[in-house]
Amino acid sequence: MRLVQPSTGPKLGSIRQIHFIDIDNLTAGPTTDLRSHRIVRQWYTACTNMHDDDLCFVACSHHSGFAVATVWSDAKVYWRSGENGADYALLDAISETNFEGVNQVWVASGDGIFIPGIEALHAMRTGPEQIDVSVLALDDSMVHGTLPLAADQVATIAAAYGSNMLGLAS
């Protein structure tokens, strides 16, 4: 995996975030339902304090493609189907991203396949430069067992909004 080292970092008091989202993971599987995608986007934005100027990469299978492209129209959207297709698309995006000036990375997937990428981001920490890597998953059952050891923080939509709210998005 090729990662670009950060240099001077963000201005004092500013936060620059990048988001890597496996949307099919947050919707508990591919779905064409626009309402579900809109609800998950609202949850995601609130949970991560996502801003309009954040970089955002969203990956999904072709089954979700239209709904994802509609709801996440301001993001770079990758369609890749097959086993771990969206995961591999996000891993490619991570390896091609310049993290200069970034101090917060969100990985929206509880899949263990992201552990090497998270560890590579941690290896970029030099001196006062700090890149925090947080994971957001649908619920605790969707978090790989060793992912909390690699990430700085693991949060779930279920913890933020209650498990009874998850039915709205499925």
Side-chain angles (χ1 to χ4, degrees):
M1 180 175 291
R2 178 188 59 83
L3 297 173
V4 178
Q5 287 279 28
S7 61
T8 58
K11 295 176 189 158
L12 189 62
S14 69
I15 295 178
R16 180 156 181 250
Q17 299 187 112
I18 297 181
H19 306 265
F20 298 95
I21 303 168
D22 177 350
I23 196 65
D24 293 339
N25 191 286
L26 295 185
T27 58
T31 180
T32 60
D33 182 49
L34 284 169
R35 181 174 174 267
S36 294
H37 284 281
R38 286 187 181 112
I39 290 169
V40 168
R41 170 123 194 203
Q42 289 175 340
W43 287 342
Y44 182 86
T45 300
C47 287
T48 64
N49 195 26
M50 185 178 181
H51 297 97
D52 291 340
D53 58 346
D54 291 350
L55 292 175
C56 184
F57 302 88
V58 180
C60 63
S61 76
H62 71 279
H63 299 291
S64 303
F66 176 76
V68 171
T70 301
V71 173
W72 295 88
S73 61
D74 54 341
K76 171 73 174 170
V77 177
Y78 297 91
W79 300 5
R80 193 175 303 174
S81 296
E83 187 173 346
N84 296 322
D87 295 337
Y88 288 125
L90 286 181
L91 288 171
D92 288 347
I94 290 170
S95 71
E96 296 168 1
T97 298
N98 180 345
F99 290 91
E100 184 173 331
V102 172
N103 53 3
Q104 178 66 57
V105 174
W106 283 93
V107 177
S109 173
D111 295 344
I113 197 170
F114 292 102
I115 292 172
I118 291 170
E119 290 171 343
L121 287 168
H122 284 210
M124 291 172 50
R125 294 178 177 177
T126 58
E129 186 65 34
Q130 181 77 9
I131 298 177
D132 288 327
V133 184
S134 299
V135 170
L136 181 67
L138 183 60
D139 61 33
D140 288 332
S141 71
M142 303 289 280
V143 177
H144 184 273
T146 59
L147 194 55
L149 300 174
D152 294 300
Q153 168 190 338
V154 176
T156 65
I157 291 174
Y161 289 95
S163 58
N164 59 336
M165 294 296 291
L166 297 177
L168 291 175
S170 52

